[in-house]
Amino acid sequence: MDMRNAANVRRLANQYAAQLQQCCPHNPMSYSIARTVHAHMIASGFKPRGYILNRLIDVYCKSSDLVSAHHLFDEIRQPDIVARTTLIAAHSSAGNSNLAREIFFATPLGIRDTVCYNAMITGYSHNNDGFGAIELFRDLLRNGFRPDNFTFTSVLGALALIVEDEKQCQQIHCAVVKSGSGFVTSVLNALLSVFVKCASSPLVSSSSLMAAARKLFDEMTERDELSWTTMIAGYVRNGELDAARQFLDGMTEKLVVAWNAMISGYVHHGFFLEALEMFRKMYLLGIQWDEFTYTSVLSACANAGFFLHGKQVHAYILRTEPRPSLDFSLSVNNALATLYWKCGKVDEARQVFNQMPVKDLVSWNAILSGYVNAGRIDEAKSFFEEMPERNLLTWTVMISGLAQNGFGEESLKLFNRMKSEGFEPCDYAFAGAIIACAWLAALMHGRQLHAQLVRLGFDSSLSAGNALITMYAKCGVVEAAHCLFLTMPYLDSVSWNAMIAALGQHGHGAQALELFELMLKEDILPDRITFLTVLSTCSHAGLVEEGHRYFKSMSGLYGICPGEDHYARMIDLLCRAGKFSEAKDMIETMPVEPGPPIWEALLAGCRIHGNMDLGIQAAERLFELMPQHDGTYVLLSNMYATVGRWDDVAKVRKLMRDKGVKKEPGCSWIEVENKVHVFLVDDIVHPEVQAVYNYLEELGLKMRKLGYIPDTKFVLHDMESEQKEYVLSTHSEKLAVGFGLLKLPLGATVRVFKNLRICGDCHNAFKFMSKVVEREIVVRDGKRFHHFKNGECSCGNYW
């Protein structure tokens, strides 16, 4: 073909233009047609210009082939405004805001138009850059361009992202009215959105702005679904649920979107029964449920624990939606999986997951959360490794789950692995790792995580702050926990509970109760966890009257029905104080059958006070309820040994052997120079244990001069007196404390942790030790903390 012939060129151009016209509307076939036409142009030597070139760029952009679109654009010596605007819009839609900005600002002012500005403003808005969109809108006005309806819709969408000042709403409202766009429904809907978003700013009065939004709504000549839904969502967002409901009830048209917004609002604010009532009313009014309705109502059932109701909804979905769309299936099945695991039906949740035709990360995270919540950690770990992709939530769920289920070391390893795989931890991930440090008593590692939190700007995080309070408290540094509590910018009930528990565990009973009373004055309602910590504090401090008063106030003042765990705390409090008749009366009048925690508390109290008859009764009940629990055998054996009934001690130990029950070995550990050193009773494994024995022997001589005498009644074997004294000297907590005194810097606090209750002789010995070495010794046993200083213990010998 002779390309120099102008007529032939025009004919060929018209032919290509007609073929490209077939690419409208855009569909998967459009891309194939455009590529074929473009290939023919190249083969024939035809050089596209003007409309044809812009049409090709448009098809490539809308087919997400931005590489080909950009290649064509770059070949144009002076691209026109149509080509530039097309690429700006395409890059903005794809999230490439930097490339969109480059093209826009390279566009000469002389060829820019309002459409080009609109594309860039929309790009800023879609990429959540509200400030950039507002600044570009001002640039449009400064350069004399006239904004149109699309300009206002885009700039209002951007303003809704950042608005927090009522003046901004008024100014943009004036601009809309002056431009003549004040009667366009899409613009007014966007303006409504700005008003309701601004109403949730702490800097404004939400009621006045919502009133202004309502006035604007009432003045609209035409309203659509978005108008009604925006108003309802605005009331809901600002906590005005009654106003939202009145607004909904006043609608003449029953719009499913508006009803969904109302149900979602009820669920979000915890009004689950109201949400279910709305769901039922939709059915009665003939309003068709959709996937958004189902996901909200299933969320209500999951959060409220209405398992049977949720299961009925599931059955209805299966009956009425035989061939659901993939979008419907994905969102509803995710909600169903969450319903089942939150109601303790993890296997049913996994079954829903396995049958899903399509899954996303939400689906995988739901099942992982289910396994973790149920304490099925081995399955959770296996599932975690199977996941095709992970996000920050995935890592956080797994890190926190490992920490809270006793796998602290694995939790910290996973936290480090997350960072090595390129994920920047959030405050919740840090909180999980910090809780792992709490259970491991890894103070130095916890302090390092605290420093990282501060460096990354997460130090004001509530979840991280609460975790740090727990970590410092469980690592024996209650002063640091209290300082953190006092300086946190915001406190919730978890913060107060953690601090009250910390003070109680460290022997500051009066201070813990003062803090509880301050919590009540701050109008923070106590929950069942609060009362567990308060009753434990009373038990540790022997505050019987206070414990009775707080126990009665649970149901009397706060409507909290005491659980078995609360009764167990009360039994423990009474038995520690020797009030066994009161304890028996409480057990006999409990509204539920007493379980293992009750009998364990009774047995422990009988052991302290030597109440053999009642102790034996408690042990017999525990043998029936938990025949494999070693603690019952140990407590009963110790009780016999204390009064020298060695034949009965032998019988209990034989019973243990016959039943295959093994006693948990006592061990103590201490962190020195970022390394944890573990000691067992009569330890010969630790490489420096002989030096510890020698040091303790020297220390013992000084302690005896101050009046220390080994209390051999705590040796639970029948042997000679000298042998008993030797056995006492090899207890794991003594070895760990001795190692700390040898290795830690002069004057440093020695912090030792033990898995079982501290030995009575060791408790006495550490009082003398603290006086001899003039250092504080902190020991955490299985129940509480003991701070030994100047010959005294923080527990006041009440433990």
Side-chain angles (χ1 to χ4, degrees), residues 720-767:
E720 296 296 326
S721 178
E722 288 185 4
Q723 288 178 296
K724 287 185 177 182
E725 288 192 18
Y726 172 76
V727 169
L728 289 173
S729 71
T730 65
H731 282 191
S732 66
E733 57 263 54
K734 279 197 181 83
L735 299 178
V737 168
F739 182 77
L741 292 171
L742 270 175
K743 292 295 183 178
L744 291 171
L746 193 63
T749 300
V750 176
R751 292 185 176 86
V752 167
F753 305 88
K754 187 181 180 183
N755 62 332
L756 304 177
R757 189 172 183 268
I758 188 174
C759 156
D761 176 71
C762 288
H763 187 273
N764 189 39
F766 293 149
K767 291 195 292 183

Side-chain angles (χ1 to χ4, degrees), residues 144-173:
F145 291 94
R146 183 180 178 83
D148 58 18
N149 298 338
F150 296 104
T151 315
F152 280 113
T153 303
S154 297
V155 81
L156 286 166
L159 182 59
L161 300 171
I162 60 171
V163 66
E164 56 181 19
D165 186 348
E166 192 169 351
K167 289 182 180 178
Q168 294 174 320
C169 299
Q170 295 168 348
Q171 289 171 350
I172 198 71
H173 191 182

Side-chain angles (χ1 to χ4, degrees), residues 488-516:
M488 284 173 63
Y490 176 74
L491 300 171
D492 64 0
S493 61
V494 177
S495 320
W496 290 89
N497 290 348
M499 196 62 239
I500 292 167
L503 291 169
Q505 288 174 344
H506 285 265
H508 306 294
Q511 197 176 348
L513 296 185
E514 285 176 11
L515 192 66
F516 174 62

Side-chain angles (χ1 to χ4, degrees), residues 325-347:
S325 67
L326 290 181
D327 286 342
F328 180 100
S329 177
L330 181 62
S331 60
V332 172
N333 279 320
N334 283 345
L336 283 167
T338 301
L339 164 76
Y340 282 115
W341 80 253
K342 282 193 174 182
C343 292
K345 311 290 183 181
V346 184
D347 292 329

Side-chain angles (χ1 to χ4, degrees), residues 368 372 377 380-381 384 394-402 414:
L368 181 68
V372 166
I377 298 301
K381 289 192 284 188
F384 177 83
T394 315
W395 291 95
T396 302
V397 166
M398 199 66 218
I399 289 166
S400 299
L402 288 168
L414 194 66

Side-chain angles (χ1 to χ4, degrees), residues 43 229 405:
T229 308
N405 285 276

Side-chain angles (χ1 to χ4, degrees), residues 309-545:
H309 197 108
K311 197 170 183 180
Q312 290 172 354
V313 174
H314 187 186
Y316 183 85
I317 294 169
L318 292 175
R319 191 173 77 248
T320 59
E321 301 285 347
R323 287 186 294 275
S325 67
L326 290 181
D327 286 342
F328 180 100
S329 177
L330 181 62
S331 60
V332 172
N333 279 320
N334 283 345
L336 283 167
T338 301
L339 164 76
Y340 282 115
W341 80 253
K342 282 193 174 182
C343 292
K345 311 290 183 181
V346 184
D347 292 329
E348 287 86 342
R350 182 63 189 265
Q351 188 175 358
V352 170
F353 174 85
N354 290 341
Q355 294 174 353
M356 289 174 68
V358 61
K359 305 176 180 75
D360 62 4
L361 195 49
V362 175
S363 322
W364 288 85
N365 282 342
I367 303 303
L368 181 68
S369 299
Y371 282 134
V372 166
N373 189 68
R376 293 161 61 168
I377 298 301
D378 287 339
E379 290 166 283
K381 289 192 284 188
S382 175
F383 191 80
F384 177 83
E385 297 300 337
E386 291 175 18
M387 292 179 71
E389 61 175 320
R390 305 181 185 102
N391 62 4
L392 200 51
L393 176 62
T394 315
W395 291 95
T396 302
V397 166
M398 199 66 218
I399 289 166
S400 299
L402 288 168
Q404 292 167 2
N405 285 276
F407 297 88
E409 191 172 345
E410 288 188 54
S411 175
L412 292 177
K413 286 180 179 177
L414 194 66
F415 182 77
N416 291 330
R417 177 182 160 190
M418 174 185 71
K419 293 195 291 185
S420 69
E421 292 191 16
F423 287 88
E424 191 68 34
C426 64
D427 54 336
Y428 293 104
F430 269 107
I434 290 166
I435 290 298
C437 293
W439 292 115
L440 293 171
L443 177 61
M444 294 307 296
H445 201 121
R447 280 176 168 161
Q448 290 170 4
L449 290 173
H450 189 179
Q452 292 176 36
L453 272 172
V454 173
R455 181 172 56 83
L456 293 171
F458 292 141
D459 50 317
S460 61
S461 163
L462 181 61
S463 60
N466 290 341
L468 284 168
I469 290 174
T470 301
M471 186 274 294
Y472 280 121
K474 287 190 176 294
C475 289
V477 196
V478 69
E479 300 82 5
H482 199 195
C483 181
L484 191 71
F485 176 84
L486 294 174
T487 55
M488 284 173 63
Y490 176 74
L491 300 171
D492 64 0
S493 61
V494 177
S495 320
W496 290 89
N497 290 348
M499 196 62 239
I500 292 167
L503 291 169
Q505 288 174 344
H506 285 265
H508 306 294
Q511 197 176 348
L513 296 185
E514 285 176 11
L515 192 66
F516 174 62
E517 294 294 342
L518 180 60
M519 172 184 172
L520 299 180
K521 289 179 182 176
E522 294 287 334
D523 293 328
I524 297 177
L525 288 176
D527 54 23
R528 64 182 316 277
I529 303 299
T530 313
F531 281 105
L532 283 175
T533 61
V534 168
L535 293 174
S536 293
T537 295
C538 293
S539 179
H540 288 317
L543 303 172
V544 178
E545 290 184 12

